[in-house]
Amino acid sequence: MNTPVATDLTPDPDAARARCIDTTSAPGPFVAVHSLTALHAVNLNQDMFQMPKQGLWGGVERMRVSSQALARAARIWVIEHAEKDRPTASRSRLLPQETARRLQERGVDAADAIPAAALIVAAAGLSISQINPERTRTVSLVPGDAPDRLAAVVLDHWAELAHSRTAMEDLIAKALEGKVPRKTKGESAVNPAASVPEAIIAAARRAFDPSLIDSIALFGRMLTELPDGTVPSSVQIAHALSVDPMNLISDDFTVRDDWQDHGVFGSAHIGQKYLVSGTLYRFAALDRGELRRNLARSDSSPALVEQAAQEAERAFVTAIAYSLPHARRSRTGSAVRPLLIAAASCDQPLTADSAFEVPVTDPVGPNAAERLALFLHSAGVRGGVARWHSPTGDEAPDLPGALTLGTV
């Protein structure tokens, strides 16, 4: 009997390259990205009451997707699709935990790895949670290889850190027993690293060097506990709003019990969720100068900085054009290509929000594309790329001649 061969699951690299939007040859200090995306019965971004987010514009309630949700989707896209050997970045509170795992992978016992990891993270300057020494008090965006680099510093100075590691272990034990007084009503920082030599502290802080990591250079980070830890964002991302009035859908559902029998009828569970439909207008912009200043902090050569900047620009423009938050994706099938994408270099990045203050009427997609095209003619476009994806075969709107139109 022949063994079945699984279908090849490898993504097509040619398809990914074809989707890439390259604006790097267009002159100008900024790149602005505009897009229109039609969505039906989704909840990409919900509020604390599990309702789709919304916003009032032009006296009409609109579907809204927050800039934070759009930025995260784009950042994850950049990390997953970037074709380069440089490390990426991760946002987490679990840096001590991941550092302890790296130590255990190198043969350190778990009982020693946890206090050693907490010590080196605290020595670098990050505050450790008193109620959980495997977490930092705040979420930080750090290089993806920071746990490996911190673990290497610990192992290089294992004997030298023996006294401090013991002190950290005792402090953690007392904190977990509730014997360490807290300064505030909430968590209080555990800081047993005062006796760590300055040379080791400097080595630990180098683990947070943003280097040429494009996701940090693009989206920035606020790491105020470290000297020079804060990196300004080189992008601006607006909240997405629908160009047409929001259509709120109440999705009532029931759950049947597959084992229900013996004359028992009805549902095992009844629930209700809210979905929304609309055509989103999204706007984002990249400051090319700020991006290069962020990358230049790595002290790399000008040629390497320029290469990294162009790679980061291609990754960001493509990501912000095609990526979307995928909340409730398993029950809404929310993946969709934008109807229109316009990525253009310019001297001043201007949003087209004002073009949609008056809601767009049916057919929303083509009519909204016409309005966006009119705006682009007045926005000072210097060069760039446009993509037109009409599922109904509509003609592309009259776009500025500086934009190269494609349908990939």
Side-chain angles (χ1 to χ4, degrees):
M1 181 177 179
N2 295 329
T3 303
V5 178
T7 301
D8 183 4
L9 303 180
T10 306
D12 182 3
D14 291 334
R17 281 190 287 270
R19 176 175 285 195
C20 176
I21 299 177
D22 189 355
T23 55
T24 56
S25 62
F30 298 96
V31 176
V33 185
H34 309 264
S35 65
L36 294 168
T37 308
L39 295 159
H40 168 64
V42 298
N43 189 351
L44 302 180
N45 189 207
Q46 63 188 25
D47 61 21
M48 66 179 67
F49 304 108
Q50 299 186 351
M51 293 286 291
K53 289 186 177 178
Q54 53 192 275
L56 186 67
W57 180 234
V60 177
E61 289 290 346
R62 313 290 184 102
M63 173 185 178
R64 179 172 68 90
V65 178
S66 72
S67 58
Q68 298 91 330
L70 296 171
R72 173 174 170 76
R75 183 173 63 85
I76 297 302
W77 195 99
V78 168
I79 291 173
E80 292 179 347
H81 291 79
E83 296 183 23
K84 43 180 93 70
D85 297 327
R86 295 193 299 272
T88 58
S90 298
R91 188 185 302 277
S92 180
R93 292 182 61 191
L94 300 176
L95 180 60
Q97 172 184 294
E98 292 303 309
T99 303
R101 286 182 179 176
R102 304 304 194 277
L103 290 171
Q104 292 177 67
E105 290 169 358
R106 290 161 174 77
V108 178
D109 185 80
D112 296 323
I114 292 173
L119 173 69
I120 200 63
V121 173
L126 299 188
S127 299
I128 305 298
S129 166
Q130 183 168 353
I131 61 176
N132 187 346
E134 294 186 283
R135 292 173 175 258
T136 53
R137 292 190 67 195
T138 59
V139 176
S140 301
L141 183 63
V142 300
D145 64 348
D148 297 284
R149 297 168 69 177
L150 289 170
V153 172
V154 171
L155 293 175
D156 289 343
H157 302 278
W158 187 259
E160 193 175 354
L161 292 173
H163 177 74
S164 298
R165 286 189 289 107
T166 301
M168 168 61 92
E169 188 173 358
D170 292 342
L171 251 167
I172 290 174
K174 291 178 181 178
L176 295 178
E177 293 173 4
K179 296 180 179 179
V180 177
R182 298 180 180 178
K183 296 180 181 178
T184 65
K185 191 174 181 180
E187 296 179 358
S188 178
V190 174
N191 183 21
S195 60
V196 174
E198 284 295 327
I200 299 178
I201 292 175
R205 286 176 175 170
R206 283 195 291 272
F208 301 97
D209 182 358
S211 187
L212 291 175
I213 299 175
D214 49 13
S215 55
I216 293 180
L218 285 166
F219 300 100
R221 73 176 184 193
M222 184 174 289
L223 205 56
T224 57
E225 294 176 301
L226 300 184
D228 298 323
T230 298
V231 179
S233 174
S234 60
V235 303
Q236 50 178 292
I237 301 174
H239 290 247
L241 280 177
S242 63
V243 300
D244 48 343
M246 180 183 69
N247 179 25
L248 186 65
I249 302 166
S250 175
D251 181 25
D252 302 307
F253 65 90
T254 60
V255 178
R256 295 296 304 273
D257 190 325
D258 291 341
W259 289 357
Q260 188 169 292
D261 202 352
H262 306 298
V264 178
F265 300 97
S267 301
H269 177 71
I270 299 175
Q272 186 179 56
K273 295 186 182 300
Y274 290 93
L275 306 174
V276 68
S277 298
T279 297
L280 282 180
Y281 165 67
R282 293 185 284 156
F283 167 77
L286 168 66
D287 183 333
R288 287 169 159 174
E290 192 69 68
L291 174 62
R292 284 158 175 76
R293 285 189 289 273
N294 287 345
L295 292 168
R297 295 173 60 159
S298 65
D299 293 327
S300 301
S301 68
L304 193 55
V305 168
E306 182 59 28
Q307 178 186 351
Q310 293 190 23
E311 290 177 350
E313 179 175 324
R314 284 190 288 267
F316 172 74
V317 172
T318 308
I320 205 66
Y322 285 108
S323 66
L324 272 176
H326 49 242
R328 303 195 186 282
R329 178 174 58 181
S330 64
R331 293 297 181 270
T332 61
S334 54
V336 62
R337 289 195 304 182
L339 174 68
L340 176 63
I341 300 167
S345 64
C346 53
D347 294 313
Q348 184 180 12
L350 300 173
T351 175
D353 276 345
S354 58
F356 305 111
E357 185 175 5
V358 176
V360 178
T361 57
D362 292 334
V364 175
N367 288 343
E370 290 289 346
R371 285 201 202 176
L372 181 55
L374 286 173
F375 166 83
L376 292 173
H377 277 284
S378 64
V381 171
R382 296 183 60 179
V385 177
R387 297 274 173 85
W388 175 247
H389 303 134
S390 174
T392 55
D394 296 289
E395 291 292 328
D398 177 25
L399 295 165
L403 297 178
T404 302
L405 182 63
T407 57
V408 177

